[in-house]
Amino acid sequence: MVSGSASTTDYSSVPTPTSKFENTETQSTDLKYPLWAFVTITKRVEEGGNKCWACNFCNETFTGSYTRVKAHLLQTSSYGIKSCSKVTLDYRAEMQKRVKEAENRNKPKCVPLPNSSSSFTHPPSAPIFEQRKRKSAGGSALEQSFGIQSRNYLNALIARMFYSAGLPFHFARNPYYVEAFSYAANNSISGYVPPGNNSLRCNLLVQEKVHIERLLKPLKGLWKEKGLSIVTDGWTDAQRRPLINFMAASEGGPIFLSAIDGSKEYKDKHYIASLITNVIKEVGPQKVVQVITDNAPVCKAAGMLVQAEYPHIFWTPCVVHTLNLALKNICVVKNTERNEIVYNECWWITMVSDEAKIIKDFIMNHAMRLAIFNEIVPLKLLVVAETREDSVGIAQTVKEIILNDLWWDKVDYILSFTSPIYDMLRLCDTDKPTLHLVYDMWDSMIEQVRTVIFRQEKKEEDEVSDFYNVVYAILIDRWTKSCTPLHCLAHSLNLRYYSKQWLEGLPNRVPPHKDVEISAERNKCFLKYFPIAEERRFVNIEFARFSGCMDVFASFDSLQDRWDLDPKMW
């Protein structure tokens, strides 16, 4: 205590917090943040951990976190808040004491490291004469020359860091983790202390963001010449907040643009369109080729609004989502009046799917069954069963299903004719550009599905399969809803589809410029991109030279490389 003051401090005269919120707050955090007891919180501020509070000594009101409370009461400068003139030396000394006790109480307690043959229970920096008192402490001269004791001690500390923080072991593969420790070991940084919580989430984070933005500048510089696609999708985070992500996909790779929290918004077509429009304005409208969303009606309506405002930008539904919906229409059939024809042909697929779920739930609901399954089968059941019910009847049903060879034949058949759809889905669900391949992939995928179904039903080419007709109608309906003129333009500009090898791959194939539908859609794109008739005429002439193999496109190497080379390389 300060000389001349009483040995004990009477806090009865200090006003105490009276708000219900503050009482709750101090009860839960007083041991960690004791100085909250000397202010009265009046309002919580949404941004960060700040609060509005009034000092119980000077009654002035401030906004800030616990750091500013401590600076105000302890009369510390450099924190952007004035010191309290009403705090006496006695009060300040007692508060400093409480702060010190809280800091000591909150310091992490280090558990001693384990003993081993080359002991590293004590840090290798201990005096040499102390280490030599125990045979295992210092190690041999060879061990000391290679720093084995120091290496073992550091390894133990790193392992303890992983175990105590619950870090995943694959974090050890992170190249920056390895580089950080290697740099520290190979450079003399006397007195270095790793950055703390505040540095990591504040100035270092800002520094890293600025650095990443600098690295992305060359990639963004390509957007004006090469163009980009804006990709958006919604998801829900751990706090159940509906977030809408925006990405920029281009030749250089995808870049995250922003994430919007739509918790307080009614997500209709106008709201979605406004978000997309804001992103388009941010990157530059003339750089954007298309906007890709899922197939939800509200997204389609928003896409139409964007196209109306920016006529040169296409709205494109996500191919992966389209294929997912097609699989759902085939394998999860609803028994409704409108869906009667599809249900009559595909009901058995839904039944097989339901029976497979019964088997899955039966295994997941009992530890012994699951242990046997994991012992024998390398695959994992990722979906957790929703119920824990069990009965002899269910066990008998599962047994009958598993031992039924006809049931497994149905499973094999379902997997075989849906495999082309799934393969296309996986191929499109990558960072690689596939726009120029989608049109042909749909045709090839439908043809592969037809081949599997006709082979299973033992039908000739000229015969009719009711089941295939239903599947074909579903796939064509989904393709019609997702196909845009941009797909046809990209297909027309892919030199592979003019090559002799591709044209002879299947009967009835024609080059894109001889397909009436593709040509009509391609001309729509030309009209959008080149509204001036003179420019459009020049483009049409250039495309005619390209597609008709005229002039420079008629050389032997040019014709041969159409099949062998990537379009961009060609």
Side-chain angles (χ1 to χ4, degrees):
M1 301 296 293
V2 179
S3 176
S5 63
S7 59
T8 59
T9 305
D10 182 14
Y11 281 87
S12 60
S13 61
V14 179
T16 57
T18 56
S19 69
K20 182 178 180 182
F21 173 77
E22 176 59 8
N23 289 335
T24 306
E25 185 81 3
T26 54
Q27 287 175 5
S28 59
T29 60
D30 185 57
L31 291 178
K32 192 172 183 180
Y33 306 112
L35 298 190
W36 279 121
F38 301 98
V39 299
T40 300
I41 295 178
T42 58
K43 185 175 66 173
R44 183 186 294 272
V45 181
E46 292 185 1
E47 292 79 8
N50 293 337
K51 302 176 180 66
C52 291
W53 47 270
C55 176
N56 293 348
F57 291 91
C58 63
N59 295 324
E60 293 193 45
T61 303
F62 304 94
T63 300
S65 62
Y66 179 73
T67 302
R68 289 167 64 86
V69 173
K70 187 165 63 173
H72 174 71
L73 295 175
L74 299 184
Q75 301 172 347
T76 306
S77 59
S78 302
Y79 284 93
I81 188 172
K82 74 174 185 177
S83 302
C84 181
S85 59
K86 300 293 184 179
V87 174
T88 64
L89 293 176
D90 294 344
Y91 285 135
R92 190 173 66 180
E94 181 63 24
M95 284 189 284
Q96 287 174 339
K97 177 182 177 183
R98 292 192 179 192
V99 169
K100 188 67 175 178
E101 290 175 351
E103 291 175 351
N104 293 333
R105 187 184 302 112
N106 295 323
K107 283 183 179 179
K109 296 179 175 58
C110 296
V111 180
L113 295 172
N115 293 320
S116 67
S117 56
S118 58
S119 175
F120 43 81
T121 302
H122 302 285
S125 58
I128 297 297
F129 70 89
E130 289 186 9
Q131 296 181 20
R132 289 177 178 174
K133 290 181 179 179
R134 298 181 181 179
K135 183 178 181 180
S136 60
S140 65
L142 184 62
E143 289 178 341
Q144 293 181 9
S145 64
F146 283 98
I148 293 178
Q149 181 187 8
S150 299
R151 294 171 186 267
N152 291 341
Y153 186 80
L154 181 58
N155 286 341
L157 287 176
I158 294 174
R160 175 65 56 76
M161 175 185 68
F162 273 77
Y163 307 150
S164 61
L167 296 176
F169 295 132
H170 63 75
F171 178 72
R173 301 192 187 102
N174 188 302
Y176 301 108
Y177 155 80
V178 177
E179 184 178 354
F181 279 96
S182 298
Y183 185 87
N186 296 319
N187 293 271
S188 177
I189 315 177
S190 179
Y192 172 76
V193 178
N197 174 61
N198 289 333
S199 296
L200 288 172
R201 66 185 179 91
C202 295
N203 57 319
L204 288 177
L205 181 60
V206 173
Q207 174 183 311
E208 182 70 5
K209 181 181 178 181
V210 172
H211 177 64
I212 295 299
E213 288 290 342
R214 190 182 303 114
L215 294 178
L216 292 178
K217 275 188 177 180
L219 198 156
K220 292 181 178 181
L222 297 174
W223 291 353
K224 185 175 181 180
E225 178 184 358
K226 303 290 186 178
L228 75 148
S229 301
I230 293 178
V231 185
T232 178
D233 192 17
W235 64 291
T236 304
D237 67 356
Q239 300 179 14
R240 309 300 298 171
R241 293 178 300 181
L243 303 180
I244 303 175
N245 287 347
F246 288 92
M247 305 277 291
S250 65
E251 182 180 329
I255 296 178
F256 172 79
L257 295 177
S258 61
I260 307 299
D261 183 0
S263 301
K264 301 179 182 179
E265 302 292 341
Y266 178 65
K267 289 169 276 298
D268 59 359
K269 62 180 181 180
H270 299 288
Y271 175 69
I272 301 297
S274 67
L275 296 182
I276 297 174
T277 302
N278 291 338
V279 174
I280 291 175
K281 292 177 180 178
E282 179 183 342
V283 301
Q286 297 305 319
K287 302 174 185 177
V288 180
V289 176
Q290 62 177 339
V291 173
I292 303 175
T293 71
D294 61 26
N295 293 260
V298 65
C299 292
K300 180 178 181 180
M304 297 301 102
L305 293 177
V306 173
Q307 285 191 149
E309 184 170 354
Y310 300 102
H312 70 284
I313 297 178
F314 286 92
W315 170 75
T316 306
C318 176
V319 177
V320 174
H321 189 228
T322 300
L323 294 169
N324 266 321
L325 293 175
L327 284 172
K328 185 176 180 180
N329 292 148
I330 296 170
C331 300
V332 186
V333 188
K334 295 181 179 180
N335 187 11
T336 61
E337 185 176 350
R338 291 181 55 189
N339 210 35
E340 183 178 359
I341 297 177
V342 177
Y343 182 80
N344 290 338
E345 293 295 333
C346 300
W347 63 269
W348 62 274
I349 304 176
T350 304
M351 180 174 291
V352 171
S353 176
D354 292 340
E355 290 170 343
K357 291 178 181 177
I358 292 175
I359 297 175
K360 181 264 300 179
D361 292 344
F362 179 77
I363 295 173
M364 295 293 294
N365 286 342
H366 197 281
M368 186 57 68
R369 301 170 197 146
L370 183 60
I372 296 173
F373 177 88
N374 291 334
E375 181 72 21
I376 300 174
V377 183
L379 302 176
K380 299 299 179 183
L381 298 174
L382 299 181
V383 181
V384 179
E386 296 181 357
T387 176
R388 303 291 296 179
E389 295 179 6
D390 198 1
S391 68
V392 177
I394 295 178
Q396 183 62 31
T397 301
V398 171
K399 178 182 178 181
E400 293 174 358
I401 295 174
I402 292 177
L403 297 179
N404 188 338
D405 291 338
L406 294 177
W407 187 83
W408 287 107
D409 290 340
K410 292 179 182 179
V411 172
D412 289 338
Y413 180 35
I414 294 171
L415 294 177
S416 62
F417 81 77
T418 58
S419 179
I421 307 175
Y422 179 73
D423 291 342
M424 179 180 172
L425 186 152
R426 291 294 301 272
L427 186 61
C428 293
D429 193 19
T430 62
D431 291 337
K432 297 180 180 179
T434 57
L435 180 67
H436 61 300
L437 305 173
V438 169
Y439 193 98
D440 178 58
M441 283 196 293
W442 270 98
D443 284 345
S444 300
M445 178 265 290
I446 292 175
E447 184 62 31
Q448 292 171 21
V449 171
R450 182 181 187 276
T451 301
V452 173
I453 294 177
F454 271 58
R455 183 172 63 244
Q456 175 71 18
E457 297 182 356
K458 297 181 173 58
K459 291 185 178 294
E460 300 295 332
E461 290 293 324
D462 57 348
E463 293 185 282
V464 176
S465 167
D466 293 335
F467 176 64
Y468 170 72
N469 288 342
V470 168
V471 174
Y472 174 80
I474 293 173
L475 295 176
I476 287 296
D477 178 64
R478 286 296 173 188
W479 166 239
T480 303
K481 292 179 179 179
S482 64
C483 179
T484 69
L486 204 58
H487 290 108
C488 298
L489 174 62
H491 180 78
S492 297
L493 297 178
N494 191 338
L495 52 96
R496 182 182 182 86
Y497 302 131
Y498 297 89
S499 65
K500 179 181 177 181
Q501 294 89 331
W502 183 82
L503 293 173
E504 294 177 352
L506 287 175
N508 303 323
R509 274 182 175 174
V510 295
H513 70 293
K514 294 184 178 180
D515 188 297
V516 177
E517 177 191 352
I518 294 175
S519 297
E521 297 299 302
R522 181 185 63 249
N523 290 335
K524 290 180 182 179
C525 288
F526 286 165
L527 187 61
K528 267 196 170 190
Y529 290 135
F530 307 101
I532 301 176
E534 186 177 349
E535 291 183 352
R536 191 164 61 253
R537 187 180 302 109
F538 176 80
V539 171
N540 287 330
I541 293 173
E542 189 70 12
F543 178 76
R545 295 172 62 225
F546 161 75
S547 59
C549 302
M550 295 182 287
D551 302 332
V552 68
F553 301 108
S555 67
F556 175 81
D557 288 341
S558 175
L559 296 175
Q560 187 66 30
D561 291 343
R562 289 186 176 222
W563 173 258
D564 297 324
L565 292 184
D566 177 80
K568 289 187 297 183
M569 294 181 62
W570 184 85

